[in-house]
Amino acid sequence: MKQYKEIEHTADAGLEIWGASIEELFLHAAEGFLRFTLGCLPAATSDDESITLEADSLEDLLVAFLNELNFNLQARHCCLWPIQELRINTAATQKKLDCRAAHSLLSGSSLSEMKEVKSVTYYQLNIEKKGKMFRTRIFFDL
Amino acid sequence: MQFKGHNIEKIHENLFEIPQTGDMNQPGRIYASEEMMRGLIAEAEPLQQVINVAHLPGIEKYSLAMPDIHWGYGFPIGGVAATNWQTGVISPGGVGYDINCGMRLAATALKIQEVQQKLKPLIDQLFNTIPTGVGASHAIKKMSKTELKSAVEKGVCWVVEQGYGTNDDIQFIEENGRLEWADAVVVSDRAIERGQDQMGTLGSGNHFLEVDVVDKIFDEIAAAAMGLFRDQIVVMIHTGSRGFGFQICDDYLKVMGKAAQKYHLQLPDRQLAAAPIQSEEGKNYLAAMACAANFAWSNRQVIMTLAKRVLMRVFGVSDQELGFHLVYDVSHNIAKKESHIIDGVEKQVCVHRKGATRAFPAYSPLLPEKYQAIGQPVLIPGDMGRYSFVCLGSQKAMDETFGSTCHGAGRLMSRHQAKRMAEGRDLFKELSQKGIIIQAKGRGTIAEEMPDAYKDVADVVNIMHLSGISTKVARLKPMGVIKG
């Protein structure tokens, strides 16, 4: 079940995302971002790749994570999906993300139809727990 | 008028001020009509960003906004702020992700009557020659890391040495196509990787190359000095530093976020993250930003040269017969060291222009000999269905806006709204009926970028014209457009 939705924005684009845990929030953010950028998600064609990231806050970590996906799309034409074994350590001062992701190289129409996202931004970014769900909004500079 | 407890004062018909209050270091000033101001008050975010920018340490005179203001990240789009070079800060949010996104105008000796019959093959060949859209590359061979580092330090000279254009072009580019403090040592490997195969590529979104016709002249003397005349065919290019610049901005936003804490900067928005200009972080950002700026000028130089070769081929004319010449190249996302008179004293400042264009007056030492008597050409693009403008800088701009003016029209509706509005419509046919041929890479691009999605740029240009900041020289109408 989709746990994100696109937010209308005049010049750029945004997502509202939710999840039952921080890890789910990050996974849904990744899926929402990749679907926004690519439309359809390609089938994985290659072995898993490891991603390890650290940041001062969960918000910074989310931006770093989505920008990592974006860098691979825009610079290497590589889609890191599906994401497996995503773990986020929030206990330490530095928040840490570890995950493994399958990947596939984009070409042809997948590439030509891909949106060019300059970067994921910190605008209005605040991860909070409302009731049982973690929620946030995140915007992309197009 | 009031905005969140601030009394807005009307300075003149097209200029409003938010007085300095609280922790603002300077007042805010917005160039806009009264109707636009009412819209901005209702929208809230852009005016809040003007107020936020006024909090920057070392900001001089005003936090400024041009009439194409809309909300951005940290600074509003259309924002201008000058900070004291010795004591002030530099903020990547005051430049934007697309460092040195800007405009270039080249003119030809061709007239509309000569081009109309061959317009379709011309646009098709431009589209096939100039890489557009995501993933497009290899207009020139993929650069090695060493080549790219050399190119972004040397500026436009590097691509000229590779055969793209001539030395005569250089004087008609802002800063002669090179910020000399560029240093690739402070550019990340990721930025280098993103830039290696993107030199000479247009990108996507609102970037474009247009074949336009000069359909109206407002200032005969200035137009003649620029080599512009009625019914003339010109080429307009809008693009920037591509992934190279985006990555540099992203890298330094992280650095500046930590720097703001390190230097105890009190900023109302984390996206105004900044560092003292004279700090290591500030100097490194300036050096990296300069690399991106140099990449963008080089990028537009390559694209212009490719377009010129297509024109020669399609019309079967020699270089001399084509009469192709660069009118000017301006940046609308940049931060630079400039000298300005502030309260009667000449000061060195860092002028941030984010969605704003330099508009220097006659007799500025930074202008080429050809434009000394008239002032700097300013290029203001509109949407693909209406028009763009060539304007002129002025002394009033130097006196009031740190030599700055507007940069474009600004969007009226979101991409989703535009797509919904486009449903059931044949936009290619609608534009064709206006005599405009378009080629675009992505299927969604035409709908997202359709003319109805944008404000009328004439409204924006007229406010700056009536304010005496930048005056109209010529209007250009699109005949053909290529987009990503």
Side-chain angles (χ1 to χ4, degrees):
Chain A
M1 189 171 84
K2 197 168 86 166
Q3 298 209 44
Y4 58 86
K5 64 177 183 180
E6 281 190 44
I7 305 169
E8 292 266 0
H9 184 285
T10 309
D12 292 319
L15 293 176
E16 189 170 330
I17 310 147
W18 53 97
S21 65
I22 288 290
E23 284 82 3
E24 270 195 21
L25 184 77
F26 273 56
L27 272 172
H28 297 150
E31 182 182 350
F33 172 75
L34 290 171
R35 285 198 186 276
F36 168 80
T37 309
L38 293 171
C40 295
L41 296 181
T45 56
S46 298
D47 292 340
D48 290 356
E49 201 167 296
S50 295
I51 300 171
T52 299
L53 298 165
E54 286 188 8
D56 291 341
S57 68
L58 282 175
E59 288 81 4
D60 287 356
L61 193 62
L62 182 57
V63 169
F65 179 48
L66 296 182
N67 270 336
E68 182 71 18
L69 300 180
N70 192 46
F71 172 78
N72 276 276
L73 283 175
Q74 307 290 342
R76 296 177 178 162
H77 306 155
C78 171
C79 177
L80 297 177
W81 185 264
I83 290 164
Q84 291 129 7
E85 298 178 36
L86 184 114
R87 291 187 311 275
I88 295 173
N89 184 347
T90 60
T93 311
Q94 278 280 98
K95 314 304 175 200
K96 191 176 175 188
L97 178 149
D98 288 289
C99 76
R100 297 181 63 77
H103 70 276
S104 53
L105 286 177
L106 303 172
S107 62
S109 61
S110 309
L111 201 54
S112 63
E113 292 299 323
M114 181 169 79
K115 290 187 176 64
E116 186 170 54
V117 175
K118 294 190 182 85
S119 187
V120 179
T121 79
Y122 298 91
Y123 183 73
Q124 288 187 352
L125 182 58
N126 182 35
I127 297 174
E128 54 184 0
K129 193 165 184 184
K130 286 184 177 176
K132 292 182 181 176
M133 302 296 273
F134 289 89
R135 290 181 174 271
T136 193
R137 290 159 65 99
I138 194 157
F139 287 87
F140 319 132
D141 191 320
L142 299 181
Chain B
M1 280 189 263
Q2 282 253 326
F3 175 70
K4 292 190 178 179
H6 297 267
N7 284 322
I8 296 180
E9 296 172 9
K10 186 172 182 175
I11 308 297
H12 64 63
E13 277 308 304
N14 294 303
L15 178 59
F16 295 83
E17 181 169 301
I18 302 173
Q20 179 186 351
T21 54
D23 292 330
M24 291 168 72
N25 290 320
Q26 298 290 355
R29 277 200 164 189
I30 304 103
Y31 286 83
S33 65
E34 193 154 331
E35 186 185 343
M36 284 178 180
M37 273 307 290
R38 295 194 189 285
L40 288 170
I41 289 168
E43 203 181 331
E45 190 67 25
L47 291 186
Q48 184 60 55
Q49 291 188 326
V50 172
I51 292 169
N52 289 348
V53 168
H55 289 68
L56 285 177
I59 184 169
E60 298 275 4
K61 275 184 90 168
Y62 308 111
S63 163
L64 290 155
M66 303 297 121
D68 44 348
I69 178 180
H70 51 279
W71 76 253
Y73 302 113
F75 273 61
I77 311 291
V80 177
T83 50
N84 188 287
W85 190 258
Q86 292 305 322
T87 61
V89 299
I90 182 159
S91 175
V95 175
Y97 284 99
D98 195 355
I99 296 168
N100 194 6
C101 186
M103 300 299 304
R104 175 174 283 228
L105 179 68
T108 75
L110 298 172
K111 289 187 176 179
I112 184 173
Q113 302 90 327
E114 299 168 84
V115 163
Q116 272 166 330
Q117 296 306 314
K118 289 191 172 182
L119 184 61
K120 175 101 183 32
L122 172 62
I123 299 305
D124 287 347
Q125 282 210 36
L126 285 168
F127 187 65
N128 291 333
T129 302
I130 295 164
T132 56
V134 180
S137 62
H138 299 115
I140 59 177
K141 68 175 178 67
K142 181 173 176 174
M143 299 165 85
S144 69
K145 290 179 184 177
T146 306
E147 284 174 327
L148 181 58
K149 288 177 184 180
S150 182
V152 299
E153 287 182 356
K154 289 184 79 172
V156 81
C157 285
W158 192 90
V159 291
V160 169
E161 287 166 8
Q162 310 307 310
Y164 295 94
T166 69
N167 285 325
D168 287 342
D169 296 331
I170 291 172
Q171 61 180 311
F172 298 108
I173 305 171
E174 188 175 328
E175 301 293 338
N176 294 323
R178 178 182 182 236
L179 292 181
E180 59 191 18
W181 55 85
D183 186 351
V185 159
V186 294
V187 173
S188 70
D189 290 340
R190 285 210 155 180
I192 298 289
E193 186 176 342
R194 281 180 88 166
Q196 278 180 270
D197 63 356
Q198 289 197 335
M199 183 65 76
T201 67
L202 203 58
S204 62
N206 65 3
H207 291 162
F208 63 81
L209 181 147
E210 276 183 10
V211 175
D212 292 344
V213 59
V214 178
D215 92 311
K216 196 164 183 177
I217 300 282
F218 301 96
D219 182 337
E220 294 284 350
I221 294 172
M226 295 181 201
L228 298 176
F229 55 86
R230 184 92 196 270
D231 294 338
Q232 179 187 29
I233 296 300
V234 297
V235 175
M236 189 170 250
I237 299 164
H238 176 217
T239 189
S241 51
R242 310 290 290 103
F244 182 71
F246 310 161
Q247 189 64 45
I248 286 173
C249 179
D250 195 43
D251 294 339
Y252 277 89
L253 279 172
K254 293 194 200 69
V255 169
M256 295 303 198
K258 293 185 194 298
Q261 289 174 22
K262 177 179 169 184
Y263 297 106
H264 309 295
L265 302 179
Q266 300 299 319
L267 300 169
D269 179 356
R270 74 163 288 175
Q271 293 187 112
L272 280 175
I277 293 167
Q278 298 304 324
S279 68
E280 183 183 1
E281 294 91 341
K283 288 178 184 175
N284 285 350
Y285 171 68
L286 272 167
M289 189 217 68
C291 288
N294 294 345
F295 182 103
W297 280 314
S298 302
N299 191 27
R300 292 197 284 275
Q301 181 73 11
V302 172
I303 292 170
M304 179 189 78
T305 307
L306 294 175
K308 177 185 171 181
R309 291 173 187 169
V310 168
L311 282 159
M312 285 171 63
R313 202 161 58 233
V314 168
F315 295 103
V317 294
S318 67
D319 193 338
Q320 196 174 2
E321 286 167 335
L322 183 60
F324 193 91
H325 66 273
L326 174 55
V327 174
Y328 211 63
D329 181 307
V330 291
S331 173
H332 52 231
N333 276 4
I334 205 159
K336 286 190 281 172
K337 183 180 182 180
E338 293 179 358
S339 285
H340 288 272
I341 305 293
I342 298 169
D343 298 328
V345 178
E346 184 173 345
K347 286 187 183 180
Q348 305 285 308
V349 288
C350 179
V351 181
H352 301 69
R353 295 187 181 98
K354 180 175 170 178
T357 313
R358 195 185 76 172
F360 276 11
Y363 307 110
S364 166
L366 296 178
L367 299 183
E369 182 63 35
K370 190 176 171 186
Y371 298 145
Q372 279 290 307
I374 61 164
Q376 181 210 307
V378 178
L379 311 172
I380 311 293
D383 58 76
M384 66 171 111
R386 282 181 279 199
Y387 30 63
S388 299
F389 286 87
V390 180
C391 301
L392 208 55
S394 72
Q395 185 57 43
K396 204 136 192 283
M398 293 301 274
D399 296 339
E400 295 185 18
T401 62
F402 298 103
S404 312
T405 191
C406 57
H407 88 301
R411 289 187 70 95
L412 201 55
M413 62 180 76
S414 72
R415 287 174 168 74
H416 278 302
Q417 280 176 295
K419 280 181 169 174
R420 284 196 291 272
M421 189 175 247
E423 276 170 20
R425 288 167 65 177
D426 185 343
L427 294 172
F428 286 92
K429 189 176 175 185
E430 286 181 24
L431 287 165
S432 174
Q433 284 167 348
K434 288 184 180 181
I436 303 167
I437 295 175
I438 182 156
Q439 283 274 27
K441 206 64 170 297
R443 284 192 300 267
T445 299
I446 307 298
E448 289 178 5
E449 296 295 316
M450 67 178 190
D452 300 10
Y454 283 86
K455 299 174 189 173
D456 187 342
V457 72
D459 294 339
V460 171
V461 166
N462 283 336
I463 284 171
M464 300 316 276
H465 179 89
L466 292 169
S467 300
I469 301 292
S470 55
T471 53
K472 293 187 290 190
V473 174
R475 189 175 71 185
L476 314 176
K477 297 204 89 171
M479 294 182 71
V481 186
I482 70 166
K483 294 183 73 65

